């Protein structure tokens, strides 16, 4: 096991800058996921750690040892690729054992006929076979050892690729979107298997994906990348609840977070649609800000209230029934895009299109970002806020 440290990593392809001084510390035994949209530089960064790509500037340390000058095979890391890269003419056992064969047997010993009669070959083959069997048992693929890759399902091939990496006992596992070729149901199962494997092995895992569900469910920490830069590195729940930037807030979470324009008053409170919200931030008066609220933080209620003049917040413009949850789109006067509310299907009864509704949320669920998309610090907690005031002044 080993820690991995990156210091100001920069990489350009011709005139296009891919990585802009990325620095990152990955602890010994940690599961860290690099997540971001396609083209953000996450796979390039992983290949630089593995030694498959040469960076232009910066330092890579594995186990406190600089490895910038070392070839991939000398870095003691194992890479699992998106395509699995299995040899089709080899059996599962031969694919898993290949790294040990290449490491422990010389060219003559690897020959199919002459190698078998050379001194020491039989003993080494028995040792390699024993280690291959042990890894196969851990992954639950012992019954597949005599098959070839073409006879395996996508999930089985993925486990063989993991086995080939495991048999080397590397200091770190590097995984480049290994589940992207699996169907949705199998991907959920494979996520659980990889997380369990990490817990049992206790080895450093660095995992690359564009799928936020994979990042959120498996990782100790998530590193969100965009445009060749790290925007935030934190535990999954912190990334979700306290995004450092509006870009992170929008990227993490499905459906996307609701965003509303607002500005800061002289007392630090946020004003939305002409109404004061009980949310105070550290910003100058008059500062234009953006308020963000997760769909599940919004509460849906009927337009009829106990107030003397029930306000009309808006009307339902779309209903997405997804079985375990329902997404309700609410159009509000004066706002461009409708707000999306995630609700329990049992709580909405016979809700219909064009029905008038009221939306509420609580101050602690509101995030505020400045014009550049940076999160603003809150000054104090407040009371619930009624979004119906958006449409009424």
């Amino acid at each position: 096991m080993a820690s991995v440290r990156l210091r100001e990593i920069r990489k350009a392809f011709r005139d296009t800058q891919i990585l802009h001084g990325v620095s990152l510390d990955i602890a010994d035994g940690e599961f860290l996921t690099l997540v971001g949209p396609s083209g953000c530089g996450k796979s390039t960064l992983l290949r630089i750690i593995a030694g498959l790509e040469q960076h232009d500037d910066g330092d890579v340390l594995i186990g406190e040892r600089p490895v910038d000058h070392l070839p991939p095979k000398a870095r003691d890391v194992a890479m699992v690729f998106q395509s699995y890269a299995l040899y089709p003419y080899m059996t599962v056992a031969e694919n898993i054992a290949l790294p040990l064969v290449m490491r422990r047997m010389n060219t003559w010993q690897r020959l199919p006929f002459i190698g078998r009669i050379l001194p020491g070959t039989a003993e080494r083959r028995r040792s390699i076979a024993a280690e291959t069997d042990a890894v196969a048992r851990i992954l639950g693929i012992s019954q597949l050892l005599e098959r070839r890759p073409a006879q395996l399902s996508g999930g089985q091939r993925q486990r063989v690729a993991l086995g080939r990496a495991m048999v080397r006992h590397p200091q770190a596992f590097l995984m480049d979107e290994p589940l992207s070729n699996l169907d949705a149901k199998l991907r959920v199962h494979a996520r659980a298997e990889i997380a369990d494997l990490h817990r049992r092995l206790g080895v450093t895992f660095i995992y690359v994906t564009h799928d936020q569900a994979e990042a959120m469910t498996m990782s100790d920490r998530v590193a969100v990348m965009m445009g060749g830069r790290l925007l935030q590195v934190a535990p999954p729940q912190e990334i979700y609840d306290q995004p450092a930037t509006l870009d992170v807030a929008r990227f993490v979470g499905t459906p996307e977070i609701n965003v509303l324009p607002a500005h800061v008053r002289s007392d630090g409170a946020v004003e939305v649609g002409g109404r004061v919200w009980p949310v105070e931030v550290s910003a100058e008066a008059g500062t234009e800000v953006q308020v963000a609220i997760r769909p599940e933080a919004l509460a849906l209620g009927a337009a009829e209230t106990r107030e003397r003049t029930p306000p009309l917040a808006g009307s339902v413009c779309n209903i997405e029934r997804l079985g375990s949850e329902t997404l309700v789109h609410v159009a509000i006067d004066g706002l461009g895009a409708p707000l999306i509310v995630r609700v329990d299907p049992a709580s909405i009864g016979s809700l219909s299109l064009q029905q008038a509704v009221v939306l509420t949320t609580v101050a602690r669920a509101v995030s505020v970002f400045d014009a550049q998309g940076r999160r603003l610090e809150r000054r104090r907690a407040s009371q619930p806020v009624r979004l119906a005031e958006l449409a009424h002044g």
Side-chain angles (χ1 to χ4, degrees):
M1 296 187 295
S3 61
V4 177
R5 300 172 63 191
L6 307 177
R7 292 289 176 267
E8 291 294 320
I9 301 298
R10 300 180 185 276
K11 176 66 178 179
F13 292 114
R14 296 185 178 178
D15 297 329
T16 303
Q17 193 70 31
I18 304 300
L19 298 173
H20 302 263
V22 174
S23 295
L24 182 62
D25 287 341
I26 304 166
D28 185 4
E30 182 177 18
F31 194 129
L32 181 129
T33 298
L34 293 165
V35 65
S38 299
C40 70
K42 56 189 185 296
S43 291
T44 299
L45 188 63
L46 194 74
R47 291 174 63 84
I48 286 173
I49 296 172
L52 301 176
E53 198 78 59
Q54 185 60 47
H55 49 294
D56 300 328
D57 196 16
D59 302 296
V60 178
L61 295 91
I62 299 178
E64 304 301 324
R65 177 185 62 151
V67 297
D68 305 273
H69 62 290
L70 297 178
K73 65 179 181 180
R75 298 194 180 196
D76 199 14
V77 296
M79 189 98 169
V80 179
F81 296 94
Q82 178 179 346
S83 63
Y84 312 139
L86 301 179
Y87 290 97
Y89 54 86
M90 290 184 175
T91 65
V92 167
E94 291 168 339
N95 268 285
I96 293 175
L98 184 60
L100 298 181
V101 171
M102 299 302 293
R103 180 183 295 178
R104 298 180 186 178
M105 301 175 66
N106 61 38
T107 303
W108 292 102
Q109 290 174 322
R110 294 198 296 268
L111 292 175
F113 300 108
I114 298 177
R116 296 181 183 277
I117 63 175
L118 294 177
T121 300
E123 182 179 349
R124 292 185 186 182
R125 287 190 179 276
R126 282 195 297 270
S127 172
I128 291 172
E131 292 188 43
T132 300
D133 289 342
V135 167
R137 283 197 302 273
I138 292 174
L139 294 172
I141 54 175
S142 297
Q143 74 280 11
L144 306 177
L145 290 177
E146 298 306 314
R147 297 188 188 180
R148 299 189 187 276
Q151 299 171 298
L152 305 178
S153 68
Q156 290 169 337
R157 293 179 192 179
Q158 184 250 346
R159 277 187 272 179
V160 174
L162 283 172
R164 187 173 58 187
M166 286 171 58
V167 78
R168 297 176 50 192
H169 301 290
Q171 294 190 80
F173 284 87
L174 310 180
M175 300 186 177
D176 191 4
E177 304 207 40
L179 308 185
S180 60
N181 290 330
L182 305 183
D183 61 49
K185 183 178 180 180
L186 191 55
R187 202 156 48 233
V188 172
H189 180 67
R191 287 203 308 255
E193 283 191 342
I194 290 176
D196 181 63
L197 180 63
H198 172 257
R199 284 190 292 269
R200 283 186 282 141
L201 298 180
V203 181
T204 306
F205 275 43
I206 306 175
Y207 191 99
V208 160
T209 182
H210 65 275
D211 187 329
Q212 56 180 281
E214 291 179 22
M216 299 293 283
T217 56
M218 296 192 296
S219 316
D220 295 319
R221 286 191 303 159
V222 175
V224 182
M225 287 189 70
M226 290 187 188
R229 292 181 171 86
L230 285 177
L231 300 189
Q232 187 173 4
V233 183
Q237 199 60 46
E238 183 178 334
I239 292 279
Y240 189 81
D241 293 335
Q242 302 176 46
T245 70
L246 187 55
D247 284 338
V248 173
R250 281 177 161 151
F251 182 78
V252 176
T254 303
E256 188 176 296
I257 198 167
N258 297 294
V259 180
L260 307 170
H263 69 271
V264 179
R265 289 161 43 100
S266 58
D267 59 359
V270 173
E271 185 174 319
V272 182
R275 291 295 182 177
V276 179
W277 282 27
V279 177
E280 294 186 2
V281 294
S282 301
E284 295 183 2
T287 301
E288 297 296 323
V289 296
Q290 299 179 86
V291 170
I293 314 158
R294 295 287 180 194
E296 65 275 10
L298 291 171
L300 186 67
E304 294 77 13
T305 71
R306 293 183 180 180
E307 299 172 7
R308 191 164 51 184
T309 53
L312 178 63
S315 60
V316 176
C317 61
N318 190 22
I319 302 175
E320 297 181 73
R321 303 185 188 276
L322 305 176
S324 61
E325 64 181 17
T326 296
L327 302 180
V328 181
H329 298 239
V330 179
I332 297 177
D333 292 341
L335 295 181
L339 300 182
I340 300 177
V341 189
R342 177 185 279 120
V343 298
D344 182 348
S347 68
I348 61 174
S350 58
L351 189 72
S352 59
L353 294 178
Q354 306 306 317
Q355 182 175 332
V357 292
V358 169
L359 302 179
T360 60
T361 189
V362 291
R364 66 176 179 273
V366 177
S367 297
V368 184
F369 301 90
D370 65 16
Q372 287 72 45
R374 297 169 299 200
R375 186 183 184 87
L376 292 175
E377 294 297 324
R378 299 281 290 274
R379 284 168 56 175
R380 63 183 176 87
S382 306
Q383 300 300 316
V385 58
R386 185 168 290 280
L387 294 185
E389 294 176 352
L390 285 171
H392 295 270

